């Protein structure tokens, strides 16, 4: 199925008398505009007027390009769940035949410009991200940071995570979340912080006893130097030996991990240690890799959205349309990531898609 066939599953809530512009035409316009570097409603309208001949190669656009306010109103009428289904169908095609166990990171992101009068009302999205392939698998809005806990559990009910390694930040170090991941036949690696003080204290104590006895063994050692900064990371792994009450409360925990980071920035050195728990065996050699991969949702997805697509500076604020336009950005990011289009980065791909009609067709349709 091509892009337009996937968009055909999207539901439109407009009444029949308000359907002058076809919703698939408008969604194709918006995705094309975003893939060409457009950032706001006016950009999208101007882009459509300039590229109408190209757009009509793939869709009728019987009544031309709608005005920017109409584009916003039409996007607001799109049922977010059905748009998410279109994204999921496209992604499932891309992930077919994947050999290795995927690493799926769940993380929240605030769209900092998506408010009207109060910054606290800015839209917050939780994203599920396949870190190995660079694909956004799903997204869901939440009103508060703590609301992420229930949202991640809801997403776990929808996404197929069987056989994968799920990584989440310390907020999701919750028994119910870990048991749901096990129920879905996946493994988990999660950081332990002071939101679970007894568990963290037990993990720290077990490692400290090993360190004091000089019996620690480095499983992974990574050294990096760049831009006046050097960092050494040492990963230690142990079989979890929790006190009886904690062992009963956290039955899925098989291993504990310590990551010790030695950093030197501009001649000043720091050392810090982070602690993690996992349902995987302590003999699993890739635990440190999974932890490192979780950071990719910050360094890869969030960075690309903010620097390449300028999501944080976007002032699109119309209720409903904000979530949908954010999903379109992720749709485009996925397409650019999967397209072997002879460009070294997503930023360059975005520029070339804006400049060159044939290149844009390659991104969308593999032509």
């Amino acid at each position: 199925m091509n892009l337009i066939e996937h968009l055909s599953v999207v539901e439109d809530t407009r009444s029949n008398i308000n359907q002058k512009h076809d919703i698939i035409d408008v969604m194709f316009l918006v995705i094309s505009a975003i893939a060409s570097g457009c950032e706001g409603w006016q950009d999208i309208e101007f882009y459509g007027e300039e590229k109408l001949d190209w757009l009509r190669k793939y869709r009728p656009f019987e009544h031309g390009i709608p005005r920017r306010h109409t584009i916003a109103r039409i996007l607001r009428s799109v049922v977010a769940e059905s748009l998410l289904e279109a994204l999921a169908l496209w992604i499932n095609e891309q992930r077919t035949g994947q050999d290795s166990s995927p690493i799926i990171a769940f993380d929240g992101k605030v769209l900092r410009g998506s408010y009207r009068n109060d910054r606290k009302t800015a839209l917050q999205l939780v994203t599920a991200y396949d870190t190995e392939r660079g694909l956004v698998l799903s997204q869901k809005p939440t009103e508060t940071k703590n609301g992420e806990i229930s949202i991640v559990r809801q997403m776990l009910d929808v996404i197929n995570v069987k056989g994968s390694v799920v990584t989440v930040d310390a907020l999701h170090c919750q028994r119910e979340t870990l048991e749901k991941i096990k129920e879905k036949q996946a493994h988990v690696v999660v950081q332990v912080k002071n939101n679970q003080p007894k568990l963290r204290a037990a993990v720290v104590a077990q490692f400290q006893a090993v360190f004091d006895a000089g019996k620690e063994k480095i499983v992974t050692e990574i050294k990096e130097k760049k831009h006046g900064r050097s960092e050494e990371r040492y990963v230690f792994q142990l079989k979890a030996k929790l006190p009886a009450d904690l062992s009963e409360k956290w039955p899925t925990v098989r291993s504990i991990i310590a990551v010790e980071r030695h950093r030197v920035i501009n001649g000043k050195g720091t050392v810090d240690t982070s602690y993690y728990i996992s349902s995987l065996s302590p003999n699993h050699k890739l635990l440190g890799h999974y932890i490192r991969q979780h950071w990719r949702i910050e360094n890869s997805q969030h960075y690309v959205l903010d620097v390449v697509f300028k999501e944080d500076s976007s002032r699109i604020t119309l209720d409903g349309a904000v979530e949908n336009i954010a999903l379109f950005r992720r749709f485009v990011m996925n397409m650019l990531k999967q397209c072997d289009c002879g460009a070294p980065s997503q930023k360059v791909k975005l520029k070339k898609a804006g400049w060159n009609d044939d290149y844009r067709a390659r991104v969308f349709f593999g032509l």
Side-chain angles (χ1 to χ4, degrees):
M1 290 175 66
N2 65 32
L3 167 67
I4 291 172
E5 288 174 315
H6 283 302
L7 292 177
S8 66
V9 306
V10 174
E11 293 179 45
D12 184 358
T13 60
R14 293 176 297 167
S15 65
N16 291 333
I17 60 173
N18 289 324
Q19 294 191 14
K20 176 182 176 182
H21 296 281
D22 184 274
I23 195 162
I24 297 178
D25 287 3
V26 175
M27 289 190 294
F28 181 53
L29 163 65
V30 172
I31 291 174
S32 302
I34 292 172
S36 301
C38 297
E39 297 168 21
W41 302 123
Q42 190 170 58
D43 280 4
I44 294 169
E45 180 187 346
F46 290 163
Y47 166 87
E49 291 170 351
E50 292 294 326
K51 294 295 183 182
L52 183 56
D53 289 343
W54 182 85
L55 292 165
R56 278 180 168 157
K57 289 181 180 180
Y58 308 100
R59 293 294 304 171
F61 286 89
E62 184 179 348
H63 298 287
I65 300 299
R67 300 297 299 273
R68 59 184 179 274
H69 300 298
T70 304
I71 296 169
R73 178 177 51 77
I74 292 172
L75 274 202
R76 188 179 183 181
S77 73
V78 168
V79 178
E81 288 77 9
S82 65
L83 182 55
L84 195 56
E85 180 186 351
L87 175 66
L89 289 170
W90 184 86
I91 289 169
N92 286 338
E93 284 188 3
Q94 309 308 307
R95 298 178 76 212
T96 300
Q98 182 169 289
D99 296 328
S100 59
S101 298
I103 305 167
I104 301 176
F106 287 83
D107 198 32
K109 183 181 188 296
V110 178
L111 280 64
R112 301 188 186 282
S114 62
Y115 67 92
R116 283 181 175 166
N117 300 312
D118 184 354
R119 289 178 183 271
K120 293 179 181 178
T121 64
L123 181 67
Q124 299 184 56
L125 291 174
V126 180
T127 299
Y129 187 65
D130 183 331
T131 66
E132 303 275 76
R133 294 220 170 175
L135 289 172
V136 175
L137 306 181
S138 185
Q139 74 171 34
K140 206 167 177 65
T142 175
E143 292 184 2
T144 64
K145 179 68 175 174
N146 284 334
E148 285 186 26
I149 295 172
S150 62
I151 292 296
V152 165
R153 291 172 188 166
Q154 292 172 31
M155 293 171 78
L156 284 167
D157 283 329
V158 175
I159 302 171
N160 179 14
V161 297
K162 183 179 179 180
S164 65
V165 176
V166 174
T167 65
V168 284
D169 62 30
L171 175 69
H172 303 283
C173 187
Q174 310 283 338
R175 174 178 174 171
E176 184 178 335
T177 302
L178 270 59
E179 290 185 343
K180 181 174 283 291
I181 291 169
K182 181 181 179 181
E183 175 190 316
K184 297 297 178 180
Q185 299 180 51
H187 284 289
V188 66
V189 178
V190 57
Q191 189 172 6
V192 185
K193 288 187 175 180
N194 288 329
N195 61 323
Q196 298 293 350
K198 291 182 179 179
L199 179 60
R200 186 181 189 280
V203 170
V204 172
Q206 187 177 335
F207 271 111
Q208 196 59 53
V210 173
F211 293 153
D212 290 345
K215 294 181 178 180
E216 72 273 17
K217 291 182 181 179
I218 298 172
V219 178
T220 308
E221 180 177 337
I222 301 170
K223 297 183 179 181
E224 295 178 346
K225 282 188 177 182
K226 54 184 174 182
H227 309 304
R229 163 180 169 168
S230 66
E231 180 172 313
E232 298 177 3
R233 293 188 298 278
Y234 303 98
V235 180
F236 306 92
Q237 299 168 195
L238 296 173
K239 180 180 179 181
K241 296 180 180 178
L242 302 175
D245 59 330
L246 290 176
S247 184
E248 183 179 347
K249 182 178 178 182
W250 302 93
T252 58
V253 178
R254 293 179 64 197
S255 62
I256 60 175
I257 307 106
V259 180
E260 191 176 277
R261 298 181 183 86
H262 298 250
R263 293 190 182 97
V264 178
I265 303 175
N266 298 323
K268 185 177 180 181
T270 60
V271 178
D272 68 82
T273 305
S274 300
Y275 297 95
Y276 299 80
I277 56 174
S278 177
S279 59
L280 288 159
S281 163
N283 298 320
H284 198 87
K285 299 296 184 182
L286 293 176
L287 288 171
H289 171 68
Y290 300 145
I291 292 167
R292 180 68 173 167
Q293 285 294 95
H294 183 76
W295 302 337
R296 289 192 65 180
I297 199 168
E298 290 282 350
N299 299 334
S300 182
Q301 188 219 164
H302 293 183
Y303 177 84
V304 169
L305 287 169
D306 290 339
V307 175
V308 178
F309 292 92
K310 297 181 173 59
E311 181 167 82
D312 262 0
S313 59
S314 172
R315 291 298 291 138
I316 290 176
T317 59
L318 188 66
D319 295 343
V322 181
E323 181 184 345
N324 287 336
I325 204 81
L327 187 50
F328 281 131
R329 287 191 198 104
R330 286 151 179 79
F331 209 120
V332 170
M333 187 174 73
N334 283 354
M335 288 195 298
L336 293 176
K337 186 72 176 180
Q338 292 299 296
C339 179
D340 184 13
C341 299
S345 68
Q346 296 224 50
K347 188 173 184 178
V348 175
K349 288 179 181 179
L350 198 73
K351 287 182 176 181
K352 290 186 72 172
W355 298 330
N356 189 307
D357 291 349
D358 292 338
Y359 187 88
R360 192 182 318 111
R362 260 179 88 189
V363 170
F364 288 157
F365 305 108
L367 301 177

